[in-house]
Amino acid sequence: MVRPNEEVEALLQEYADLIAITGGDPFKARAYEKAARAIGGYPADVSHLDIKGLKEIPGVGKSIAEKVIEYLRTGHVTVVEETRAKIPAGVRQLITIPTLGPRKAMALYEDLHLSSVGELADAIKAEKLRDLKGFGEKTEENILHGIALMQQAGERILLSTAMETAEDIVTELSRITGCENCAYAGSLRRMKETAGDIDILVAAARSAPFMGALTELPPTAEVIAHGEKKTSIRTVKGVQVDLRVVRPDAWGAGMQYFTGSKAHNIRTRTIAVHLGLKLSEYGLFETEGGKRVASRSEDEVYTRLGLPWIPPTLREDRGEIEAGLRGELPEVVTEADINGDLHTHTDLTDGLAPMEEMVAAAAERGYAYYAVTDHAPNLYMQRMTDEKILAQREHVRSLNGKHHGMRLLHGTELNIGPDGEVDWPDEFLQGFDICVASVHSHFNLGRTAMTRRIVRACNNPHVNVLGHPTTRLIGKRPGIDAGLDEVFAACARTGTALEINAQPDRLDLGDENILRARSHGAKFAIDTDAHSIPQLAYLRYGVGTAQRGWLTPDDVINTWPLRRLRRFLRKDRAD
Ligand code: DGT
Ligand code: CA
Ligand code: CA
Ligand code: ZN
């Protein structure tokens, strides 16, 4: 299937749902639905068509064609954004249940104030739906069936979603008497960008109280298996959680085993075999005689295997075993190493909080410096002007050093145009302390043009950071098609840092690309791209991703002291 067609199909389908949900004209909704399907199934790439060409697609009239053009040009459609803003995300989530139509979803929202699949499941359990007009016991059953179907689809969940659920559960289980240790393991501990399920480990003499507690926690919707060694549940959000209880003296072996990855474990078990040992979730044992030689801590297990303790984020069999054996594991970057955030927004553009509040919150995090980088004018929806950004600069200067001595950098997030041009001329760009530049439109240029475009932006003496370099959205939009090796080499050559955007649905660059970029000698910036105060805490996901890419503090410009950072930001300019 052609990628742009797929994107446009999803967008038009969403708009059709939004129209139906807001009680709009059903004929109009149906027209968009039809057009969506027609474009999805259209054999030629719609991004190469003009209005006239688009109108030749069955079911696509002038108004729909114009919206498609707007989307292909800017990456969004104003009227869709506006309609979307009227409806809580939860209601949009409700209509993803296969057996629940938009009209019923809206009724549930208006009459019962339900706005998530979880709340809906709870309401059905409390038999609250059957008395609503147009609903009944049969509808309740149908909807539950739909929720089950959706859950079976078994989508992987974002790291942040998994983390929030896991931390809540760990907190709850840790309170139970007899709990000697409790932690999450699996892909979540390895900070993989998505998780298939959540694996939780408890160390305790008796397992029953923990197994029982898990099945009764508020987020638990369904018990999949309830046993002595392992219990599995599904949460109201459809996330599976596996709980294992191990004996306290086998905590380390259990954590080592259930953290994985599978590929890493195969390597550690093979090393054990060569040493005449056997490694399992219960411990490291002598093959002959079965004497246990290590199990209490992970450190003990690794040491007995002749390895240093290996950070979970490296356990993917991507060279960490060899590096460990040679004593050359990297000292990976940690959250504590980060001295500041270099890509953030305020309510001057699409952020939610005023600058003073963002700055105060950043200072609370202990940062030495912080960059304010609102959107530049070519992202038309944000309505940025020269006057506004210059006024903001005055404001930034007036707050500089006022919060725990934190230094403020005034920057912007430029838009990389189709030919690699950015929003302002050189003289104007000169006034910024830092410029992030990102692709926000023209996602489908073709590889050669896309590569040339980005390399040209890197060559711009004022562009310091390439923002969310591939523009992928996890589970929603693939990254752009560009010659990434050329881009990474250009970044290394020009002194342009590659961003590791910490937004959980971006994590862009991702681990594999970081490894590749690092081999070109590029530098990185781990940024949150925060649009609100809570999002400043997304940093941890960016750091986890950076660790998975084997980065050390020296690779990451925002671990550096301000003086070194400022030198980097000057690139090779003479000014
Ligand atoms: P996920 O859940 O798909 O995101 O990925 P993981 O890595 O969390 O995988 P999961 O939940 O199936 O298992 C958790 C860990 O338990 C896994 O990383 C390694 C260990 N494990 C599970 N099954 C096996 C197995 O058959 N062999 C080995 N060596 N390890 C296993
Ligand atoms: Ca897992
Ligand atoms: Ca699992
Ligand atoms: Zn941004």
Side-chain angles (χ1 to χ4, degrees), residues 8 11-12 15 19 28 31-32 35 39 51 54-55 59-71 77 79-80:
V8 172
L11 181 89
L12 296 180
Y15 190 45
I19 294 170
K28 187 173 162 194
Y32 274 93
I39 289 177
I51 293 252
L54 285 168
K55 279 168 66 185
V60 178
K62 177 158 173 289
S63 153
I64 294 181
E66 281 171 350
K67 290 189 182 69
V68 174
I69 296 280
E70 185 188 351
Y71 176 73
V77 177
V79 54
V80 177

Side-chain angles (χ1 to χ4, degrees), residues 343-345 350 373-375 413 436 438 440 468 499 501 506 529-531:
H343 179 176
T344 69
H345 297 273
D350 56 352
T373 59
D374 271 313
H375 288 289
E413 181 178 11
V436 178
S438 316
H440 288 127
H468 43 74
E499 183 171 75
N501 188 298
R506 288 194 186 271
D529 193 2
H531 284 66

Side-chain angles (χ1 to χ4, degrees), residues 434-472:
I434 180 169
C435 294
V436 178
S438 316
V439 168
H440 288 127
S441 68
H442 301 83
F443 297 113
N444 302 293
L445 283 184
R447 177 178 283 232
T448 314
M450 188 64 85
T451 309
R452 197 183 322 125
R453 167 195 197 184
I454 300 177
V455 168
R456 191 172 154 214
C458 294
N459 282 324
N460 186 316
H462 300 283
V463 169
N464 304 117
V465 177
L466 188 57
H468 43 74
T470 77
T471 78
R472 64 127 174 216

Side-chain angles (χ1 to χ4, degrees), residues 346-400:
T346 75
D347 64 0
L348 185 62
T349 56
D350 56 352
L352 293 180
M355 186 174 65
E356 297 92 320
E357 292 176 20
M358 291 298 282
V359 166
E364 285 305 314
R365 296 181 59 86
Y367 288 150
Y369 46 80
Y370 181 79
V372 176
T373 59
D374 271 313
H375 288 289
N378 293 352
L379 202 59
Y380 303 108
M381 274 215 331
Q382 306 303 335
R383 305 205 165 78
M384 179 54 83
T385 61
D386 295 9
E387 293 71 34
K388 281 203 222 170
I389 200 105
L390 292 175
Q392 184 186 55
R393 183 170 303 159
E394 290 307 305
H395 194 181
V396 166
R397 301 289 181 240
S398 75
L399 293 177
N400 193 20

Side-chain angles (χ1 to χ4, degrees), residues 289-310:
K291 183 172 161 250
R292 180 158 59 182
V293 296
S295 66
R296 186 161 281 281
S297 71
E298 276 195 335
D299 199 31
E300 197 180 273
V301 172
Y302 279 109
T303 303
R304 190 65 184 71
L305 293 174
L307 288 163
W309 179 83
I310 298 177

Side-chain angles (χ1 to χ4, degrees), residues 156 186-187 190 195-197 199 257-262 265 269:
R156 296 181 66 82
S187 52
R190 305 197 311 277
D197 67 7
D199 300 281
Y257 182 88
F258 290 112
T259 295
S261 65
K262 213 164 169 168
N265 286 359
R269 264 198 321 240

